[in-house]
Amino acid sequence: MTFKPEAFLAKEELSGSSYSDYLVFSRAILGWRKVQHEGARGERDDYLDKYTLSRGSLRFINGLISQFSDNLQEAQLVSRASECQRQTSIYNEHSNQDELLKAVLLAGLYPNLVQVKKGIVTKGGRFRPNNLALRSLSGPVLLHRSSVNRGKEDLPSRWLTFFSAVKSNGNVFIRDSSAVHPLALLLLTDCDISETVNGDMVEVSFPGRSLVRCEVPLQTWDLLWDLRTSIQTMLYRNFNNPSNANVSQDGSLISLLVELLNNTESNPFVEVSGTESEVD
């Protein structure tokens, strides 16, 4: 998918309300598969033209998907490689849950994280309240012009995850980005967490020079910690002994996670005690 004005419009259409470059690519491939199986040759050509896609690149990506499916079978994480690509498979039960997919993406890409704050001061000293300021661990960053999140004045979350960044003319550009729910940070990141109890509140922070710091009611944090521990235990058990998977228990846990991600307000800009909370 190249960067042209028509390509950007096509990405916007595929993105919908996902705010994710990764889901754009996923939807482009799924759409191509559907039109291959159900559409005539003319419809397939129209699909490629509409979304400015390369037939050869799509075939290459499909080959990689098949290879990764074989790898999962060899690791005994799936019963058959073909089940990975069948939409009705139990492995794809939640494949239409955008927030869960982005949370899993964050789990794999962390600490590739961008903090979003609203309001910037220009070099000329003017304050622009609707512009977004982006910061990673390495400092200020900008979204690449090809990202579906470039130029947006509002995002559903204060956090973006990404895979690659490039430096050009003294600026760092994030090439791909996905807005992630703050609960995904607290529940799915594989890192140590520091806790400081202050009365009926807990200050939670990630190690090192992390951007993540938040205050959570003690009772809420106890529940989140139990859920985080359950998720980590499930992952450890299934990765180390796939044959010992508890399908019913694991399914209930994932369904709970999906419900929380979908129904918990992310409140990207909330003030707490006069300052902006780092995870809201």
Side-chain angles (χ1 to χ4, degrees):
M1 188 173 280
T2 57
F3 179 77
K4 298 176 183 177
E6 58 270 26
F8 189 80
L9 291 175
K11 290 183 70 173
E12 282 280 319
E13 179 183 332
L14 288 168
S15 172
S17 59
S18 72
Y19 296 88
S20 171
D21 290 304
Y22 283 99
L23 291 185
V24 166
F25 299 136
S26 174
R27 289 168 180 175
I29 294 167
L30 291 175
W32 168 242
R33 285 184 169 182
K34 182 177 180 180
V35 78
Q36 267 194 310
H37 287 103
E38 301 176 5
R41 180 176 180 82
E43 291 175 302
R44 295 195 290 271
D45 291 339
D46 290 343
Y47 184 86
L48 294 175
D49 291 339
K50 178 179 181 180
Y51 296 113
T52 64
L53 299 168
S54 162
R55 192 187 306 268
S57 296
L58 287 169
R59 286 173 177 166
F60 177 73
I61 292 171
N62 271 325
L64 289 178
I65 293 173
S66 296
Q67 179 183 326
F68 293 150
S69 299
D70 290 337
N71 292 342
L72 289 173
Q73 182 181 9
E74 290 170 6
Q76 299 181 1
L77 293 175
V78 299
S79 56
R80 291 189 298 274
S82 60
E83 290 294 290
C84 294
Q85 301 184 55
R86 188 167 62 85
Q87 285 300 108
T88 56
S89 166
I90 188 174
Y91 304 118
N92 288 315
E93 180 181 355
H94 298 290
S95 61
N96 63 336
Q97 298 293 340
D98 289 356
E99 291 303 326
L100 177 65
L101 296 179
K102 291 187 292 181
V104 172
L105 188 66
L106 169 69
L109 294 177
Y110 185 81
N112 286 9
L113 190 66
V114 171
Q115 181 190 62
V116 182
K117 287 190 175 183
K118 200 161 191 177
I120 66 170
V121 178
T122 67
K123 291 182 179 179
R126 295 183 62 187
F127 179 67
R128 298 189 181 276
N130 293 323
N131 289 25
L132 299 181
L134 310 177
R135 187 176 187 85
S136 72
L137 281 175
S138 60
V141 297
L142 300 170
L143 293 180
H144 192 270
R145 62 178 183 169
S146 63
S147 174
V148 294
N149 292 322
R150 171 73 176 261
K152 290 189 174 4
E153 291 187 349
D154 289 296
L155 292 171
S157 169
R158 291 190 55 192
W159 302 100
L160 302 173
T161 191
F162 68 96
F163 176 70
S164 64
V166 292
K167 192 168 185 178
S168 176
N169 298 323
N171 293 314
V172 176
F173 292 91
I174 302 298
R175 292 189 62 87
D176 49 83
S177 65
S178 296
V180 292
H181 199 291
L183 279 179
L185 276 169
L186 297 177
L187 297 175
L188 292 181
T189 46
D190 185 18
C191 65
D192 294 330
I193 290 182
S194 298
E195 308 164 70
T196 303
V197 178
N198 183 16
D200 59 353
M201 301 293 289
V202 179
E203 182 178 297
V204 180
S205 59
F206 285 17
R209 295 171 50 249
S210 172
L211 299 167
V212 182
R213 179 179 57 81
C214 67
E215 278 192 327
V216 183
L218 180 59
Q219 187 175 8
T220 300
W221 178 241
D222 286 342
L223 294 173
L224 288 174
W225 181 258
D226 287 345
L227 181 55
R228 175 184 170 89
T229 301
S230 297
I231 292 171
Q232 298 293 336
T233 300
M234 175 187 70
L235 293 174
Y236 181 85
R237 183 183 69 248
N238 288 328
F239 280 135
N240 286 277
N241 189 6
S243 61
N244 195 35
N246 187 325
V247 177
S248 177
Q249 178 180 307
D250 294 348
S252 297
L253 184 58
I254 294 171
S255 294
L256 174 59
L257 176 59
V258 168
E259 184 176 352
L260 285 173
L261 292 172
N262 288 344
N263 298 314
T264 304
E265 180 61 47
S266 56
N267 289 327
F269 302 103
V270 175
E271 292 198 1
V272 177
S273 300
T275 61
E276 282 191 320
S277 171
E278 299 298 338
V279 177
D280 293 314

